[in-house]
Amino acid sequence: RKLVEQQASQSPALREWLRSGRGGDRETSAGIELLQAASAYLGNEIVIAASADAGGRLTGPVLLAETKKPGLAEFLNARARQAGAQRDLPLLVRNGVAALAPDGAPLGPRLAGGFAGTPLFARLSETYRDGAGLLVAADLERMPKQAGAAASSIRQAILEQKEIGGRTDTQATLYFRDGSTCPAAWLAPPAPIGALDFVSPEATMAAGFVLKNPVLALEELAAMNSRIPPEIRELAPSLGGEFALAFDGAGFPPMTWKIAAEVNDPLRLQAAIERLLAEKKQAVRMRQESFGGRTYYLLSLAEASQFGEAAYTFADGYLIAAASRGLVERALQQRASGFTLTRSTDFIQLAPRGGNANFSGMLYQNMGPTLGPLAEIFAAGAQIKPEQKNAIRQFASHLKPALVTFSGGAESIAIASSSDLLGLNPAKLAGLSGPMALLELFTQKKGTSGK
């Protein structure tokens, strides 16, 4: 209840949802009152479960909750009758656990057991050992499949959200059928990603990852996307597993992108690049220049000189490329001085807690300093309606730094974030058919029908 009240005070959308149809403009909605009253009977743990029947059809959900005192059935049935319900709720209370079937179907077959022997149960048991907050799990192998739909390579998915030290940590883990042919085959186990040392704390957006086998990854990418030239495979044997991409500053023209890639054999890679450019029949020009005792390679489009020259060089086992030679030099200087994104206080505070300090990949954004002022200028336009201005400003106010990390396993990928990226907040859940919406099936006025 406290969580709902806190979120409702911060979210107009959630307040409106709680009030709609339950008290009009009253300051305290009937939804909050119902949660408050029912909390006297319920424990801290609530489960919503659904399964497929013998015909492969998904059955209606069952709500399960711990009870801490008797009288829950009488309380809920009384409230349902007050709201106009013509029958009692299909509720069963046994051994301190209450079970409710909102669709009115018999509870017996749904509570017959058997879940304890499934792979999903084993994974959930492992998750429970570390404590659980909000937990959502699905056994996709046993879910009904639509006709003509392609088979998914994902076996199970588990998503959990916890409050740790005053912030919300979210992790989603995907388990695949075959670790040799799924995305988990690309990512190496969590490890330090040295390529990210060339990314500064000024980055607007950044991505970094470490691959098990760059050759395999590039071959599969080329096979999936016809726009990737097959010749790109010639570069892979000279590459290591670490890669990073970042945009610094505004991210608008002039572009401030940079790329860092681990290189096992710089000479072989440079030869492969030159062969690749030669095959493009002078579409891209290359020239060399020396500066500060280092060789830089500058690339430009033969028929579009207005785009300037991209540049790259090799240093300490990495290829560093950027939109200009000056940006490459700056990346080298920042790395040498320790002015890097992954060492910054903001980045460290965003990193998910309780896990490995390393990861297999990451996505980072800090668009607020760039898009915030632009959104304010746009919102001030004379042609913008008041409600549109409010929406733009609300969007800009939520542009806070965010980080998502990926950890690869033998047949799984864990995706973690302490930022509100996965949409698991009460305001967004309120737009779905959640537990409160299910309860409405039994509290509608006579003559109305549910959705």
Side-chain angles (χ1 to χ4, degrees):
R1 171 180 168 266
K2 290 181 180 179
L3 175 61
V4 175
E5 286 182 331
Q6 176 185 357
Q7 293 291 330
S9 69
Q10 301 171 358
S11 170
L14 181 56
R15 284 199 303 273
E16 180 63 26
W17 176 81
L18 288 170
R19 291 176 181 172
S20 61
R22 296 186 177 91
D25 295 328
R26 288 187 305 165
E27 188 65 26
T28 303
S29 70
I32 291 287
E33 292 176 352
L34 181 60
L35 287 176
Q36 180 180 10
S39 65
Y41 298 91
L42 299 177
N44 295 325
E45 188 173 2
I46 299 175
V47 175
I48 303 174
S51 60
D53 61 18
R57 296 178 297 272
L58 193 65
T59 64
V62 174
L63 281 69
L64 302 158
E66 296 175 313
T67 59
K68 57 186 179 183
K69 72 175 187 178
L72 175 63
E74 292 78 6
F75 165 77
L76 290 178
N77 285 324
R79 295 297 289 262
R81 285 192 292 272
Q82 290 174 7
Q86 302 300 309
R87 56 191 175 93
D88 288 344
L89 301 177
L91 180 70
L92 177 65
V93 180
R94 232 181 246 174
N95 300 323
V97 177
L100 170 67
D103 61 0
L107 279 166
R110 303 187 190 183
L111 303 178
F115 178 61
T118 65
L120 184 60
F121 177 85
R123 300 196 193 282
L124 285 175
S125 299
E126 183 177 346
T127 302
Y128 259 80
R129 281 199 292 269
D130 296 327
L134 173 64
L135 186 62
V136 180
D139 191 336
L140 301 180
E141 287 188 311
R142 304 176 67 185
M143 296 251 321
K145 296 177 177 58
Q146 297 181 351
S152 172
S153 62
I154 303 175
R155 303 181 65 181
Q156 291 96 26
I158 297 178
L159 191 149
E160 54 181 317
Q161 190 177 77
K162 298 179 184 178
E163 292 289 334
I164 303 176
R167 75 173 192 176
T168 302
D169 279 9
T170 303
Q171 176 169 305
T173 306
L174 306 178
Y175 299 91
F176 297 89
R177 298 177 189 274
D178 183 357
S180 64
T181 59
C182 70
W186 291 11
L187 291 178
I193 304 178
L196 287 171
D197 289 344
F198 295 95
V199 180
S200 79
E202 299 170 343
T204 301
M205 294 182 289
F209 47 93
V210 56
L211 300 178
K212 291 178 183 176
N213 188 333
V215 175
L216 174 64
L218 280 176
E219 286 182 348
E220 292 189 0
L221 280 174
M224 290 187 296
N225 191 335
S226 59
R227 299 180 63 181
I228 299 176
E231 296 87 355
I232 202 76
R233 292 178 230 177
E234 295 184 27
L235 308 179
S238 304
L239 296 174
E242 299 176 15
F243 299 86
L245 166 68
F247 294 89
D248 283 353
F252 296 105
M255 296 298 287
T256 56
W257 58 268
K258 69 176 69 169
I259 296 172
E262 186 181 21
V263 178
N264 296 326
D265 191 337
L267 294 178
R268 182 181 179 185
L269 179 60
Q270 179 59 29
I273 292 174
E274 293 176 0
R275 286 196 304 271
L276 183 61
L277 295 179
E279 292 172 2
K280 295 304 176 182
K281 299 179 180 179
Q282 303 302 316
V284 180
R285 295 174 179 169
M286 173 187 286
R287 66 184 182 88
Q288 300 180 23
E289 64 181 28
S290 297
F291 183 83
R294 191 181 300 279
T295 299
Y296 291 85
Y297 302 89
L298 293 94
L299 305 175
S300 61
L301 296 176
E303 299 181 358
S305 59
Q306 67 271 23
F307 289 106
E309 290 182 312
Y312 70 91
T313 191
F314 297 95
D316 301 328
Y318 293 91
L319 177 149
I320 306 94
S324 69
R325 195 195 73 186
L327 290 172
V328 176
E329 294 172 6
R330 187 179 181 191
L332 293 170
Q333 293 165 1
Q334 290 172 336
R335 176 178 180 259
S337 65
F339 187 66
T340 65
L341 174 65
T342 54
R343 297 182 188 178
S344 66
T345 301
D346 289 344
F347 185 92
I348 293 172
Q349 290 177 344
L350 285 172
R353 297 177 183 172
N356 197 320
N358 299 318
F359 36 80
S360 306
M362 73 93 191
L363 298 173
Y364 169 85
Q365 72 83 18
N366 185 17
M367 299 292 293
T370 298
L371 294 186
L374 290 176
E376 186 59 37
I377 293 172
F378 185 66
Q383 304 300 319
I384 305 299
K385 297 178 180 179
E387 59 270 21
Q388 293 174 326
K389 292 183 179 182
N390 292 335
I392 293 171
R393 289 183 172 125
Q394 186 176 15
F395 166 76
S397 67
H398 286 83
L399 287 173
K400 299 177 181 179
L403 172 68
V404 179
T405 64
F406 304 83
S407 297
E411 295 184 353
S412 66
I413 295 178
I415 308 165
S417 177
S418 62
S419 310
D420 179 23
L421 291 177
L422 301 183
L424 283 178
N425 59 62
K428 292 181 181 179
L429 287 175
L432 304 176
S433 298
M436 295 295 293
L438 293 173
L439 188 57
E440 283 187 17
L441 293 173
F442 302 94
T443 57
Q444 293 170 347
K445 300 294 183 180
K446 185 176 180 180
T448 63
S449 59
K451 295 181 179 180

